[in-house]
């Protein structure tokens, strides 16, 4: 059995859902979760599980390996897409997309949250991160 862990604690649950925060003073939603509100400066927030579906707001393709550090992913590099996904009534989330082919992505496309492998640590632990995948249309 492979041991798995998140790329960072407190980003997502295994269901999967992103873990955000909501300001108790003004209701501003943030991701990643934060104690202080960027809108009103409030210093109290509550945890909020964000929607697991949204709409692709914009995207681009990463065609070269990011510089290390801070990138600590696998040495072998394959191009991938990143974008902003609008979670209805909440916020825009910047995230990796599972579809690397820009011809298969479109602004306004329905997306769903998923977990994907990021790297494997020296001890064999698989490190997971979150990404958004296009929602397949039902036939």
């Amino acid at each position: 059995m492979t041991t798995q862990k998140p790329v960072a604690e407190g980003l997502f649950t295994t269901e999967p859902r992103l873990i955000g925060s909501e300001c108790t003073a003004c209701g501003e939603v943030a991701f990643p979760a934060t104690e202080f509100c960027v809108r009103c400066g409030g210093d109290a927030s509550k945890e909020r599980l964000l929607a697991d579906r949204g709409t692709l707001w914009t995207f681009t393709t990463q065609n070269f390996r990011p510089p290390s550090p801070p990138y600590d992913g696998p040495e072998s590099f394959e191009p991938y897409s990143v974008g902003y996904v609008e979670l209805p009534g909440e916020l825009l989330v910047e995230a990796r997309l599972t579809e690397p082919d820009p011809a298969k992505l479109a602004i306004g496309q329905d997306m769903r949250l998923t977990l994907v492998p990021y790297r494997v640590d020296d001890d064999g632990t698989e490190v997971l991160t979150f990404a958004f995948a296009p929602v397949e249309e039902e036939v």
Side-chain angles (χ1 to χ4, degrees):
M1 184 174 151
T2 302
T3 303
Q4 296 179 323
K5 70 178 186 181
V7 68
E9 292 298 325
L11 282 181
F12 54 84
T13 66
T14 57
E15 283 77 33
R17 297 287 291 273
L18 297 177
I19 302 170
S21 59
E22 181 178 340
C23 176
T24 57
C26 73
E28 178 78 0
V29 178
F31 177 79
T34 181
E35 182 180 338
F36 299 97
C37 181
V38 297
R39 179 193 287 161
C40 74
D43 62 358
S45 63
K46 61 183 178 180
E47 183 178 286
R48 177 173 170 160
L49 295 180
L50 302 177
D52 61 351
R53 293 193 178 233
T55 304
L56 187 58
W57 191 74
T58 194
F59 65 94
T60 190
T61 301
Q62 177 72 29
N63 289 311
F64 56 90
R65 189 177 192 277
S68 292
Y71 182 74
D72 63 355
E75 286 297 319
S76 61
F77 177 79
E78 295 183 25
Y80 59 91
S81 295
V82 293
Y84 282 97
V85 175
E86 183 174 15
L87 303 180
E90 294 179 319
L91 72 164
L92 291 173
V93 174
E94 181 181 6
R96 186 172 185 156
L97 306 177
T98 61
E99 178 55 64
D101 183 354
K104 295 180 181 177
L105 295 169
I107 292 172
Q109 188 172 17
D110 290 334
M111 306 295 283
R112 68 174 170 74
L113 182 66
T114 188
L115 300 180
V116 296
Y118 176 66
R119 69 167 190 266
V120 177
D121 285 346
D122 292 339
D123 66 359
T125 300
E126 183 179 44
V127 179
L128 301 176
T129 191
F130 67 93
F132 280 88
V135 173
E136 302 296 326
E137 292 185 33
E138 295 181 26
V139 180

